[in-house]
Amino acid sequence: MQLARKVIDRQTSALALPISKPESRLYMSFLSIAFISLFIGGLMGLLQVFVRTGKFTLPFGIDYYQVLTVHGVILGLVLTTYFIIGFHFSLMGKTVGISDKQRKIAWIAFWIMVIGTILTATMILLGEASVLYTFYAPLRAHPVFYIGLALVVVGSWIAGFVNWHQLAVWKKAHPGEKSPLLAFMVTINTILWFIASLGVAVAVLIQFIPWSLGFAETINVLVSRTLFWYFGHPLVYFWLLPAYMAWYAIIPKIIGGKLFSDSLARMSFVLFLFFSIPVGFHHQLTEPGIDPTWKFIQVVLTFMVVIPSLMTAFSMFATFEITGRRKGAKGLFGWLKKLPWKDVRFLAPFIGMVAFIPGGAGGIINASHQMNAVVHNTIWVTGHFHLTVATTVMLTFFGISYWLIPHLRGRKLTPKINRLGIIQAIVWAVGMSIMSGAMHIQGLLGGPRRSSYSEYAGGDQVTEWIGYQMAQAIGGTILFVGILLMVYIFIKLTFFAPKGEEEFPIAEEEENAEATPAYFENWKLWIGITVVLILAAYTIPFIDIIQHSPAGSVPFDFPIGR
């Protein structure tokens, strides 16, 4: 019986469906918006680091905070969400399939998101929504900005519902079989996104839109920030888990190996679902009005995320070593030589994995109550953010693009594009190391975040920051070269690469791996535990916040007094 179950497991993991041209157009539409956003957001980032040197002034009366808002929203929300949804759809289409009706609904999701994105971007570009990526109250944006955000979230929900329906249809047609690993992972990530984005949806619909329309004179700032960070921290894992999907189930195939353990991969994703949502207070450790006991509880839950992260590290390096030794590697680290370092599909994500080591260490500092007090409002946090999301996640997304785009477009990843991709990955890594490193050091010296260049009345401490701000401009310039290279590669792979077939790499599980337990398909259990953890972490403190909050704040429009 167990042997038969293992056979079914491997047959399921090896299942790969063809992707039709209508499907390809859907997936590529999401990816195209993502790469357009990469260029626009990257350009805004370049302007930012120039301004922070004190040697450059934005032309045409453009405000620094307007540029900062574009950079954060376009890269942090638009690029990531569109790429992830396009990637999700491609994984589901490849493993469980998509019907014509499901595809039509997915297009509805796409256009709702596009309309929302256009509305939001227009308000920012018109200078009516310079409220930064976090859109903290009491800064007030134009109502259309919040309406646009709401549409993007609603569109993403519809896309998630399509993913869930795809899996439900597959399971009905395959009773008793475990779901394909990648479909399981996509389902976990969409559940995480839906539960987390409920927080920002409530804030936007109930607080921000009525307030911005003038129906409410004041806004409860602490409630709005709590709802944002209920969403804001799991958002990071919504970005990260697609990278983990590639690490677990795709990279092994690329290096000529196999998935170390299907069960371990599924358990790590379940644990990320448990421990990534009820931890928003660790972003509010310096926020008055929240009982320290509840901050402590959520910090403890935050550290629990280390467990699935270490599980992932163990699984990946076990895969690397087993694969290398099968290829004849000798000695303690001889397997490293057997890895395909000249294959950009492996190299770019691997650099991202390495970057996650110092990025994760910085996250531990950010989540520690005492150390957070030192770095909280400094540019250290910005450096951490760029090291994790803009390096670990983005380089993995780039690595995915090198095989996904040609596969969807019926083209080939040529040796020339592969070499250019390796150059791009190295350029990105060098630029980010310089920029993020300078941000971390300047943060330890007290350099603030969220601020334009200022001499702060000639204070002595400020002179210590200038050199690091220059380094950030140098690193940012190198990074922008990397962005231009990646956009060029995207265009090349989409329109000009030679016609052909590129593999959609999905790894099979090791033959001697333990069979995956049936309880992983118990979605009621996983969702139920998640809801219990959220209620335990938020119910009492949220009631306390509402009951004892200070008077609401009147709006501040930016620029102040416009």
Side-chain angles (χ1 to χ4, degrees):
M1 183 69 179
Q2 190 173 13
L3 177 62
R5 188 183 187 95
K6 286 187 178 181
V7 171
I8 291 175
D9 283 356
R10 268 185 284 282
Q11 287 174 343
T12 303
S13 65
L15 179 65
L17 303 173
I19 293 179
S20 65
K21 288 186 178 180
E23 289 178 62
S24 175
R25 283 193 291 271
L26 172 67
Y27 310 154
M28 282 300 300
S29 295
F30 282 98
L31 298 180
S32 298
I33 298 291
F35 278 93
I36 292 170
S37 301
L38 175 66
F39 175 76
I40 296 172
L43 178 60
M44 296 302 103
L46 180 67
L47 294 177
Q48 282 178 246
V49 291
F50 281 173
V51 170
R52 286 181 63 87
T53 64
K55 306 295 183 182
F56 177 79
T57 303
L58 291 170
F60 313 117
I62 299 173
D63 183 78
Y64 173 83
Y65 296 97
Q66 184 179 359
V67 170
L68 178 56
T69 303
V70 174
H71 176 72
V73 171
I74 290 293
L75 293 186
L77 295 176
V78 177
L79 182 160
T80 52
T81 304
Y82 278 87
F83 187 95
I84 290 168
I85 292 177
F87 184 45
H88 278 180
F89 273 130
S90 71
L91 296 178
M92 297 297 283
K94 196 69 176 176
T95 57
V96 300
I98 184 171
S99 67
D100 291 341
K101 183 179 180 180
Q102 290 167 341
R103 192 176 67 251
K104 290 176 182 177
I105 298 174
W107 275 115
I108 293 173
F110 173 78
W111 287 114
I112 290 175
M113 290 179 65
V114 167
I115 292 170
T117 301
I118 291 172
L119 293 177
T120 301
T122 300
M123 290 300 103
I124 298 173
L125 294 174
L126 290 176
E128 296 288 334
S130 297
V131 291
L132 310 189
Y133 153 76
T134 51
F135 57 92
Y136 269 178
L139 284 179
R140 181 173 64 176
H142 193 281
V144 173
F145 171 82
Y146 301 115
I147 293 169
L149 283 179
L151 288 174
V152 172
V153 172
V154 169
S156 70
W157 285 353
I158 295 173
F161 295 150
V162 172
N163 291 151
W164 296 340
H165 189 253
Q166 286 175 272
L167 181 60
V169 170
W170 184 93
K171 287 183 70 63
K172 187 175 181 179
H174 299 79
E177 295 185 31
K178 72 169 183 179
S179 57
L181 175 60
L182 286 167
F184 178 91
M185 291 173 161
V186 169
T187 303
I188 288 285
N189 206 29
T190 51
I191 291 171
L192 185 153
W193 169 257
F194 179 79
I195 295 175
S197 57
L198 284 173
V200 74
V202 168
V204 168
L205 293 174
I206 295 180
Q207 287 190 287
F208 282 96
I209 290 179
W211 176 64
S212 64
L213 288 170
F215 298 150
E217 294 183 2
T218 62
I219 189 170
N220 189 314
V221 172
L222 185 55
V223 167
S224 69
R225 293 186 182 182
T226 301
L227 288 171
F228 178 86
W229 285 116
Y230 168 87
F231 156 78
H233 185 76
L235 174 65
V236 175
Y237 289 93
F238 175 69
W239 297 331
L240 184 62
L241 289 188
Y244 276 40
M245 295 175 198
W247 295 1
Y248 270 114
I250 291 168
I251 293 297
K253 180 71 171 180
I254 289 173
I255 68 174
K258 294 185 177 182
L259 173 67
F260 178 71
S261 171
D262 181 279
S263 299
L264 185 149
R266 290 176 196 254
M267 179 54 73
S268 70
F269 268 63
V270 169
L271 292 177
F272 275 122
L273 177 64
F274 290 167
F275 300 124
S276 63
I277 301 177
V279 295
F281 285 170
H282 84 242
H283 288 268
Q284 298 175 275
L285 292 178
T286 62
E287 193 94 58
I290 301 174
D291 190 286
T293 300
W294 293 103
K295 291 180 181 178
F296 172 78
I297 290 171
Q298 294 205 15
V299 164
V300 172
L301 290 174
T302 300
F303 287 146
M304 295 297 288
V305 179
V306 171
I307 296 172
S309 296
L310 292 177
M311 290 168 62
T312 302
F314 171 80
S315 178
M316 291 313 304
F317 281 92
T319 298
F320 295 159
E321 182 172 0
I322 291 170
T323 303
R325 296 200 182 283
R326 281 178 178 161
K327 294 180 179 181
K330 305 294 183 182
L332 187 59
F333 296 109
W335 50 272
L336 283 168
K337 298 178 182 179
K338 300 294 183 178
L339 297 176
W341 300 108
K342 295 182 180 180
D343 187 340
V344 70
R345 300 175 304 164
F346 165 75
L347 180 64
F350 185 84
I351 295 174
M353 293 180 199
V354 173
F356 201 55
I357 298 172
I364 293 174
I365 292 172
N366 296 341
S368 301
H369 200 299
Q370 294 88 342
M371 290 186 284
N372 180 275
V374 177
V375 301
H376 183 82
N377 278 316
T378 74
I379 201 168
W380 161 287
V381 175
T382 312
H384 164 75
F385 193 79
H386 282 83
L387 198 59
T388 51
V389 178
T391 308
T392 297
V393 172
M394 286 312 304
L395 281 177
T396 303
F397 285 3
F398 294 160
I400 292 168
S401 300
Y402 286 112
W403 56 262
L404 179 57
I405 293 170
H407 179 86
L408 295 177
R409 294 289 297 163
R411 299 183 182 276
K412 291 293 292 181
L413 173 63
T414 64
K416 183 177 180 180
I417 297 176
N418 182 75
R419 286 193 297 272
L420 188 60
I422 291 173
I423 294 171
Q424 191 277 336
I426 294 172
V427 167
W428 190 277
V430 171
M432 191 62 76
S433 297
I434 296 171
M435 188 182 80
S436 177
M439 287 177 172
H440 278 85
I441 298 171
Q442 185 187 345
L444 293 177
L445 295 174
R449 57 180 169 135
R450 303 192 189 100
S451 63
S452 180
Y453 175 80
S454 174
E455 294 180 342
Y456 291 90
D460 291 337
Q461 186 180 11
V462 180
T463 61
E464 300 178 346
W465 304 340
I466 303 302
Y468 296 106
Q469 292 177 177
M470 291 291 185
Q472 290 162 34
I474 294 170
T477 302
I478 297 172
L479 266 175
F480 189 68
V481 172
I483 289 174
L484 293 177
L485 283 174
M486 194 63 225
V487 171
Y488 171 79
I489 292 169
F490 171 78
I491 295 171
K492 191 80 172 176
L493 288 173
T494 303
F495 300 107
F496 303 110
K499 294 285 187 178
E501 293 185 8
E502 193 66 40
E503 179 187 30
F504 194 117
I506 301 177
E508 296 182 29
E509 189 179 15
E510 289 284 354
E511 294 180 1
N512 59 351
E514 290 291 329
T516 303
Y519 58 71
F520 279 112
E521 302 296 326
N522 190 343
W523 292 105
K524 292 180 181 179
L525 173 64
W526 308 134
I527 296 172
I529 293 174
T530 304
V531 171
V532 168
L533 286 171
I534 292 169
L535 292 176
Y538 272 102
T539 302
I540 294 176
F542 199 78
I543 292 173
D544 186 60
I545 288 171
I546 294 174
Q547 289 180 338
H548 299 100
S549 285
S553 174
V554 296
F556 288 82
D557 295 321
F558 192 87
I560 301 298
R562 73 170 181 218

